[in-house]
Amino acid sequence: MELKQRGKTVLDRKYTINQIQEIVGGILSGDGSIEIKKLLPPKLADENTLALALSEEEIENLTITRAKAAMVPIGVSLDHITTIEVERPRLAMMKLLHLFYEAPDAPTGIHPTAVVHPDAKLGQNVSIGPGAVIGREAQIGDNAKILANVYIGKKTQIGHNCLFYPNVCIGDFVSIGNNVIIHHGASIGADGFSFVTENPSNVEIAKEQGQIEEKQEQKIYKIPSIGSVEIKDDVEIGANATIDRGTIENTIIGKGTKIDNLVMIAHNCNIGEGCLVISQVGIAGSCKVGDRVVLAGQVGLADHINIGSDSIVMAQAGVSKSFPEKSIIMGYPAVPRREFVKQTKNIKSVENLLKEVKILKEELEELKKIRK
Amino acid sequence: MELKQRGKTVLDRKYTINQIQEIVGGILSGDGSIEIKKLLPPKLADENTLALALSEEEIENLTITRAKAAMVPIGVSLDHITTIEVERPRLAMMKLLHLFYEAPDAPTGIHPTAVVHPDAKLGQNVSIGPGAVIGREAQIGDNAKILANVYIGKKTQIGHNCLFYPNVCIGDFVSIGNNVIIHHGASIGADGFSFVTENPSNVEIAKEQGQIEEKQEQKIYKIPSIGSVEIKDDVEIGANATIDRGTIENTIIGKGTKIDNLVMIAHNCNIGEGCLVISQVGIAGSCKVGDRVVLAGQVGLADHINIGSDSIVMAQAGVSKSFPEKSIIMGYPAVPRREFVKQTKNIKSVENLLKEVKILKEELEELKKIRK
Amino acid sequence: MELKQRGKTVLDRKYTINQIQEIVGGILSGDGSIEIKKLLPPKLADENTLALALSEEEIENLTITRAKAAMVPIGVSLDHITTIEVERPRLAMMKLLHLFYEAPDAPTGIHPTAVVHPDAKLGQNVSIGPGAVIGREAQIGDNAKILANVYIGKKTQIGHNCLFYPNVCIGDFVSIGNNVIIHHGASIGADGFSFVTENPSNVEIAKEQGQIEEKQEQKIYKIPSIGSVEIKDDVEIGANATIDRGTIENTIIGKGTKIDNLVMIAHNCNIGEGCLVISQVGIAGSCKVGDRVVLAGQVGLADHINIGSDSIVMAQAGVSKSFPEKSIIMGYPAVPRREFVKQTKNIKSVENLLKEVKILKEELEELKKIRK
């Protein structure tokens, strides 16, 4: 088989610059009747494209673009091309992209290969994709799009307007709000990683005594999770992320919080509202994260830690104790940014210190000699 | 559709406090005939709840609980409420939770949408869920619960009493013991990440010469994996974890070892018995980890490293060399904890050193001046 | 059910040492007519095995092996056993392993439980496994092996000779070249993690002002991804790895690049040719990585970073700025290796500095006293 040319998304949509300006706002200079069908950076743009030039590099590229119109930040004035100047370019871009976004195929109805338990309750206009499995007494709200091979456990409740991409796995007794998006292969409601031994384990001994005393050979018992997971409205969860069920209470993800790919949120965690949890963050058991907290990529939180609202934890930080509201922290073990910057500076100054101390020693020796 | 109130797990089980005490042991003070139907922390408890108050905070909350009975650590004496005092609260809690745990639905039999190869062999009382695929000459032991959309490759052998959650993928020739639990989307037996080039690669040159000499443009050949994975009895593997097959020999996970979500165990690794491998740990190829080792969250082990039995590797440590038995190590590159603590202290002392050296210089200048 | 003995891969293949030598090259000493059926390390080998002894430890084990023939590095001379000495043992091993590798079962044709959209186009000799879903207007090249429960979105194009393991999820509009291998559960083409608020967010304020000024309570808007993902020929992608779609342009993975398990590559990234991206690496949005770059395990790249060709980023490094070609970098924040080594040395020298400064102070006090 001969494969066709690899193309970009090609949609049958077009807008005039006037229409665009109505949607995104901003100041139009030039010809509002130009029709555009695509959005691209200046270099890749053709005559039917609205060139998006949000960075300085891209603005420079407008001198060589084939586009007849461009969206630019406020204050960028160009003669050779029609422009829409916008205050907050990423906000304008967001509105624009919605015009050209094409949602995944999810026809209303239950695919014949899906397996819906007779005691499950489905809302109106629900789409259940091929191979999807809906458990006993599960409830799915209106307009939900449950794509292929998604698994939803028993007694789990899903709100309205949710979108679950293929291979998402949701366990039993989970509660999910409205407008929740979950990407490929994410796991919601697997068992918490919680174990106990008959006698104190190596870790328990090490915590108390600072060292490992004796070989401990004993059975490790699983502590079952009877809590589940509660995900509030407007949450988004990335591909292959994992959110474990709570031991007794639920693990909770607050309203509007966005979780990136491959994030781990352990049992009993309570994550606030409007947080951003970037890729590969790991949050150990029973942590409490406030509202509007940003956890940057690969951050780790030890168990039972509180992070106050409006805090920012910078990438790869290893957080071993709690921090109050509005903290900006980094490093391992994580400290306030100012302290980290000072530490880094101090480490750099050691080289100079070594030289200075050497000179001091020599000078002192000199003085001592003279004394004699 | 109107969604019902979001509830917790509601099970139709009840126990008297006398029954509970028989199961968990400990000292009962108060009314053993009280019936309970739920387990919750004191704050969330109602009259039908056994309040679990294991921490000091929760014990304090018992003054405001609606529960009539509570489980508390030994030595906590309360007048207003019936108590069971226990020696090792987490152990008692484990026993309690088993009373209230409800396993996932997994009816015995093969779901009509499952695809079981005619040459596969299934044990007794096996449950094969919707969309599950069992490969050629695979063997599944008695009482196995293979949930929806699980894939089991050819000639793979699974022991008795295993529980595989939806979307688990197990490759070819894998061997899995008894009582093994594997969570959503875990991958067992994908190919090892192993490649070779015709001539030395940049990495090989850098290792020898300490720098990259010349641009190396050459084809990267895949080294196939003909080993597989062996998972011993009583192992648990977390959601979306990955354990790769060995190059020639098998990758091995020892008896009773527990592996958390999103852990990576590379080809040829040999992990001992009774280990705890916390979330997002990465173990590179051909590592050997002893028995009862704890690898905390986000730890990384470079390839070909040995970690002795009963060692603890603390969170986020980057381990670049081997360590003997009973090591407690941390940092990057990882060092014994004592050394790490000293390093951290030393870094902090630099600021003071800078001041002291400045004063010394001034004083010395002073002395020198006087001499003249 | 009684389970059979747990065995290794047993294939019905045999080769003479002469045949082996023809394939791998090298110098044969001894009996070329010996027939072998297996490859194993010396300790596990029997009479029908070619013992692979590539390391010094394994060469030593040849004194106790039951094998009659061994492959060894050039210059290893042994009397008691037939040997093939090879220049580049891993390269020879690669060729050998191909002789014994057994591919996953993937019979040509569409499994009756697969769901192929009537407008999809399939090449010749394609295998579509049980439960696989092929979207509208998707194109699959010749000889593709699409295993069980794989999902391929609409208008996605897959080249020839691709192999996708079970539960791989590929979104819409993705373009994949020839000879691409993708392992269990990998996600290609989930939405980028990209959001915007009406007014500046905490992170934006912190970047400008160095601290968080006021509680910001505002809706977080999703920026849709209208770009997709382009994966060039000969790429391999590990289990549960995630590669997100671009915002406007495509996220691109260059020819021959190999990506390990649980790697995260965010929206808009452009990864060059022939790179090795080891397990759990996280690459934030809009990064540009050159050709033949090695990113070792758990490395993190902040967004909008460029890494020049032929660079090596060592394990767990946290890279917060761009680096030129042929850089070798490590640490957090990442610096050239030489600098990191010096830093580490300097930190160690602080202890000695503390002692020296103490002595200097004492001596100076002594001198001052004498002066008086």
Side-chain angles (χ1 to χ4, degrees), chain C residues 283-320:
Chain C
I283 308 184
S286 304
C287 284
K288 198 164 159 34
V289 172
D291 299 329
R292 295 169 303 280
V293 171
V294 176
L295 304 175
Q298 297 182 330
V299 157
L301 265 55
D303 54 316
H304 289 92
I305 276 181
N306 292 353
I307 302 290
S309 291
D310 298 298
S311 291
I312 298 173
V313 184
M314 295 178 77
Q316 285 194 336
V319 188
S320 57

Side-chain angles (χ1 to χ4, degrees), chain C residues 322-359:
Chain C
S322 294
F323 283 88
E325 285 194 357
K326 297 183 188 170
S327 298
I328 305 180
I329 61 176
M330 65 192 299
Y332 174 80
V335 292
R337 180 168 56 172
R338 271 159 228 250
E339 210 173 303
F340 182 86
V341 170
K342 200 163 66 187
Q343 272 177 20
T344 309
K345 206 176 126 196
N346 285 344
I347 291 171
K348 277 194 185 145
S349 66
V350 170
E351 204 169 343
N352 202 37
L353 261 182
L354 286 163
K355 284 181 204 150
E356 289 193 336
V357 167
K358 196 175 163 222
I359 294 169

Side-chain angles (χ1 to χ4, degrees), chain B residues 250-268:
Chain B
N250 290 340
T251 303
I252 297 171
I253 309 296
K255 191 178 176 205
T257 283
K258 314 297 184 187
I259 294 170
D260 200 355
N261 297 351
L262 294 169
V263 164
M264 161 62 174
I265 298 180
H267 54 285
N268 306 335

Side-chain angles (χ1 to χ4, degrees), chain A residues 1-11 39-41 44 52 58 88 90-91 93-95 97-98 100-105 111 113 130-131 147-149 165-167 181 183-185 234 236 239-240 256-262 273-280 291-294 298 310-312 314-317 326-328 330-332 337-338 340 344 347-348 350-351 353-354 357-358 360-361 364-365 367-368 371, chain C residues 115 121-123 131 133 136 139-142 149 151 154-155 157-160 167 169-173 175-177 185-191 193-204 206 210-217 220-226 240-242 244-245 247-250 262-264 280-282 298-300 316-318 332-333 339 342-343 346-347 349-350 353 356-357 360 363-364 367 370:
Chain A
M1 186 184 71
E2 195 60 34
L3 291 178
K4 279 196 200 154
Q5 200 213 335
R6 304 277 157 87
K8 303 263 170 176
T9 317
V10 181
L11 295 175
L39 304 174
L40 279 173
L44 301 176
L52 299 191
E58 284 161 342
R88 199 161 160 69
R90 275 170 62 85
L91 190 68
M93 182 175 75
M94 179 271 289
K95 293 173 187 168
L97 291 181
H98 275 292
F100 286 90
Y101 177 70
E102 190 182 333
D105 284 357
H111 192 275
T113 62
L147 301 192
N149 296 326
Y165 282 90
N167 286 17
I181 300 171
H183 290 279
H184 296 149
D234 305 323
E236 181 160 349
N240 289 339
T257 283
K258 314 297 183 187
I259 294 170
D260 201 355
N261 298 351
L262 294 169
E273 301 187 358
C275 294
L276 296 177
V277 184
I278 318 292
S279 181
Q280 295 177 324
D291 299 329
R292 298 169 302 281
V293 171
V294 177
Q298 297 182 330
D310 298 298
S311 292
I312 299 174
M314 295 179 76
Q316 285 194 335
K326 298 186 189 169
S327 298
I328 305 181
M330 63 191 301
Y332 174 80
R337 181 169 54 172
R338 272 159 228 249
F340 183 86
T344 308
I347 291 171
K348 277 195 184 144
V350 170
E351 204 169 344
L353 261 182
L354 285 164
V357 167
K358 196 175 163 222
L360 280 175
K361 274 167 73 178
L364 200 63
E365 284 310 307
L367 275 178
K368 278 155 72 181
R371 259 222 53 84
Chain C
V115 178
K121 279 191 188 159
L122 306 187
V133 176
R136 171 165 60 91
Q139 291 180 47
I140 314 275
D142 299 341
N149 296 327
Y151 177 87
K154 68 167 167 240
K155 297 186 185 171
Q157 297 181 311
I158 315 284
H160 303 305
N167 286 18
C169 289
I170 300 176
D172 297 342
F173 309 110
S175 163
I176 293 183
S187 158
I188 315 296
D191 289 346
F193 192 76
S194 192
F195 300 91
V196 67
T197 47
E198 193 84 33
N199 297 304
S201 68
N202 279 337
V203 171
E204 290 174 272
Q211 56 181 49
I212 291 150
E213 279 300 309
E214 283 199 21
K215 188 174 105 165
Q216 299 285 331
E217 194 144 10
I220 299 173
Y221 294 97
K222 178 183 176 70
I223 297 181
S225 301
I226 66 166
N240 289 339
T242 67
D244 280 356
R245 59 193 296 193
T247 310
I248 301 169
E249 295 179 75
N250 289 340
L262 295 170
V263 164
M264 160 62 173
Q280 296 176 324
V281 163
Q298 297 182 330
V299 157
Q316 285 194 336
Y332 174 80
E339 210 173 303
K342 200 163 66 187
Q343 272 177 20
N346 285 344
I347 291 171
S349 66
V350 170
L353 261 182
E356 289 193 336
V357 167
L360 279 175
E363 291 187 352
L364 200 63
L367 275 179
I370 294 166

Side-chain angles (χ1 to χ4, degrees), chain B residues 189-198 218-227 244-248 267, chain C residues 88-104 161-165 179-184 234-239 256-261 274-276:
Chain B
D191 290 346
F193 191 76
S194 192
F195 299 92
V196 67
T197 47
E198 193 85 32
Q218 52 179 337
K219 188 168 160 53
I220 299 173
Y221 295 96
K222 178 184 176 70
I223 297 180
S225 301
I226 66 168
D244 281 356
R245 61 194 293 194
T247 310
I248 299 169
H267 54 285
Chain C
R88 199 160 160 70
R90 273 170 63 85
L91 190 68
M93 181 176 74
M94 179 270 291
K95 293 172 187 170
L96 265 183
L97 291 180
H98 274 292
L99 300 179
F100 286 89
Y101 177 70
E102 189 181 333
N161 312 314
C162 286
L163 169 58
F164 297 170
Y165 282 90
N179 316 313
V180 170
I181 300 171
I182 309 183
H183 290 279
H184 296 149
D234 305 323
V235 166
E236 182 159 348
I237 296 169
T257 283
K258 314 297 183 187
I259 294 170
D260 201 355
N261 298 352
C275 294
L276 297 177

Side-chain angles (χ1 to χ4, degrees), chain A residues 59-331:
Chain A
I59 292 165
E60 219 158 279
N61 287 339
L62 284 177
T63 57
I64 52 160
T65 189
R66 292 166 55 208
K68 293 195 279 186
M71 189 174 83
V72 294
I74 202 100
V76 173
S77 168
L78 295 165
D79 290 335
H80 69 289
I81 191 168
T82 292
T83 55
I84 302 175
E85 293 168 63
V86 292
E87 278 291 353
R88 199 161 160 69
R90 275 170 62 85
L91 190 68
M93 182 175 75
M94 179 271 289
K95 293 173 187 168
L96 265 183
L97 291 181
H98 275 292
L99 300 180
F100 286 90
Y101 177 70
E102 190 182 333
D105 284 357
T108 299
I110 300 171
H111 192 275
T113 62
V115 178
V116 178
H117 194 283
D119 295 341
K121 280 192 187 160
L122 306 187
Q124 296 188 330
N125 301 316
V126 162
S127 169
I128 309 287
V133 176
I134 313 293
R136 172 163 60 90
E137 294 174 52
Q139 291 181 46
I140 315 276
D142 299 340
N143 312 312
K145 294 178 196 299
I146 310 293
L147 301 192
N149 296 326
V150 166
Y151 177 88
I152 293 175
K154 69 167 167 241
K155 297 185 186 173
T156 279
Q157 296 180 312
I158 315 285
H160 303 305
N161 313 314
C162 287
L163 169 57
F164 297 170
Y165 282 90
N167 286 17
V168 163
C169 289
I170 299 176
D172 297 343
F173 308 110
V174 174
S175 163
I176 293 183
N178 302 313
N179 317 313
V180 170
I181 300 171
I182 309 183
H183 290 279
H184 296 149
S187 159
I188 314 296
D191 289 346
F193 191 76
S194 192
F195 300 91
V196 67
T197 47
E198 194 84 33
N199 298 303
S201 67
N202 279 335
V203 171
E204 290 173 272
I205 293 168
K207 268 188 190 165
E208 270 194 20
Q209 304 180 10
Q211 56 181 47
I212 292 151
E213 278 301 308
E214 282 201 21
K215 187 175 105 166
Q216 298 287 331
E217 194 143 10
Q218 51 180 339
K219 188 169 159 52
I220 299 172
Y221 294 97
K222 178 182 177 71
I223 297 180
S225 301
I226 67 167
S228 189
V229 181
E230 250 177 282
I231 295 184
K232 307 293 190 180
D233 295 347
D234 305 323
V235 167
E236 181 160 349
I237 296 169
N240 289 339
T242 67
I243 302 176
D244 280 357
R245 60 195 294 193
T247 309
I248 300 168
E249 295 179 75
N250 290 339
T251 303
I252 298 172
I253 309 296
K255 191 181 174 197
T257 283
K258 314 297 183 187
I259 294 170
D260 201 355
N261 298 351
L262 294 169
V263 164
M264 161 63 174
I265 297 179
H267 54 283
N268 305 337
C269 283
N270 189 328
I271 312 296
E273 301 187 358
C275 294
L276 296 177
V277 184
I278 318 292
S279 181
Q280 295 177 324
V281 163
I283 307 183
S286 303
C287 284
K288 197 164 159 36
V289 173
D291 299 329
R292 298 169 302 281
V293 171
V294 177
L295 304 175
Q298 297 182 330
V299 157
L301 265 55
D303 54 316
H304 289 90
I305 277 181
N306 291 354
I307 302 290
S309 290
D310 298 298
S311 292
I312 299 174
V313 185
M314 295 179 76
Q316 285 194 335
V319 188
S320 57
K321 57 170 190 169
S322 295
F323 284 87
E325 284 194 358
K326 298 186 189 169
S327 298
I328 305 181
I329 61 175
M330 63 191 301

Side-chain angles (χ1 to χ4, degrees), chain C residues 73-93:
Chain C
I74 202 101
V76 173
S77 169
L78 296 165
D79 289 336
H80 69 289
I81 191 168
T82 292
T83 55
I84 302 176
E85 294 168 63
V86 292
E87 278 292 353
R88 199 160 160 70
R90 273 170 63 85
L91 190 68
M93 181 176 74

